[in-house]
Amino acid sequence: DTGVSQNPRHKITKRGQNVTFRCDPISEHNRLYWYRQTLGQGPEFLTYFQNEAQLEKSRLLSDRFSAERPKGSFSTLEIQRTEQGDSAMYLCASSLARGTGVEQYFGPGTRLTVT
Amino acid sequence: GNSVTQMEGPVTLSEEAFLTINCTYTATGYPSLFWYVQYPGEGLQLLLKATKADDKGSNKGFEATYRKETTSFHLEKGSVQVSDSAVYFCALSSSGGAQKLVFGQGTRLTINP
């Protein structure tokens, strides 16, 4: 068990550019979540996959955001035409669907700075 | 919708002091409750959880009891250490569907030797 990994760890981009983040979950986990955390706040849910199917998206996820999880393994989160308000820590978590109260395992996050 | 309210920080204590961080929630149905911790430079990790009313979660000397009547899940530790310095997040997840986590805003705890 190597844990959840995320790449890159840091990304600085200019406003208007596109960025893509990658998340590699724990290998046997079928659920994958993306959250966004701004300074001084708790993480906020963005979207959720069960295997390769994207089953829920938050209203925080505007049309500029898209996420994929091909083949139910790693996931990517793309932000098009970045804005300064997109600056945040983007967190990925994974879990194994098994009843209620299941622990989500978090990656270290990707910190995005939009200049 | 579901929400979590945490005691505002930062909280600063001396080593061996008693710790309480308050957490209350609003939710429909029967959520599961969690405390996650984020140590400096590290990712979020689960500290403890409780999945039904009156359950007590415990780990590393920390405890929290799921109180449905007061919709609370307060975190306590009898004697804190410098190594407990971190940001603590209370969270809930619904019993069905995505079971996404809804977090409080976090409480930064600093323990002085």
Side-chain angles (χ1 to χ4, degrees), chain A residues 23-43:
Chain A
C23 170
D24 287 271
I26 294 171
S27 58
E28 65 269 25
H29 285 182
N30 56 350
R31 290 185 169 181
L32 187 146
Y33 302 81
W34 285 98
Y35 294 85
R36 182 171 69 187
Q37 185 178 19
T38 53
L39 201 61
Q41 300 299 314

Side-chain angles (χ1 to χ4, degrees), chain B residues 90-110:
Chain B
C90 185
L92 67 81
S93 70
S94 56
S95 57
Q99 295 189 27
K100 59 183 180 282
L101 291 167
V102 176
F103 286 88
Q105 76 270 33
T107 302
R108 180 174 297 278
L109 174 67
T110 301

Side-chain angles (χ1 to χ4, degrees), chain A:
Chain A
D1 179 359
T2 57
V4 178
S5 61
Q6 292 187 246
N7 288 288
R9 294 291 304 276
H10 303 274
K11 179 71 177 178
I12 299 174
T13 190
K14 293 185 190 298
R15 189 176 53 189
Q17 298 294 303
N18 299 343
V19 294
T20 300
F21 310 142
R22 178 178 169 125
C23 170
D24 287 271
I26 294 171
S27 58
E28 65 269 25
H29 285 182
N30 56 350
R31 290 185 169 181
L32 187 146
Y33 302 81
W34 285 98
Y35 294 85
R36 182 171 69 187
Q37 185 178 19
T38 53
L39 201 61
Q41 300 299 314
E44 294 176 292
F45 170 77
L46 292 178
T47 190
Y48 151 70
F49 291 84
Q50 178 138 338
N51 301 312
E52 68 276 7
Q54 187 175 19
L55 297 183
E56 188 170 336
K57 292 193 287 188
S58 162
R59 57 183 168 78
L60 294 176
L61 213 65
S62 76
D63 291 346
R64 298 183 296 105
F65 288 70
S66 62
E68 294 183 341
R69 192 184 183 196
K71 301 179 183 177
S73 55
F74 70 92
S75 176
T76 58
L77 178 69
E78 180 183 17
I79 309 174
Q80 296 183 327
R81 305 181 302 282
T82 52
E83 302 173 356
Q84 286 189 321
D86 297 331
S87 295
M89 179 76 86
Y90 290 84
L91 299 172
C92 176
S94 70
S95 72
L96 187 61
R98 186 176 51 201
T100 58
V102 177
E103 176 179 359
Q104 293 183 23
Y105 293 80
F106 283 82
T110 295
R111 182 171 297 283
L112 173 66
T113 303
V114 181
T115 62

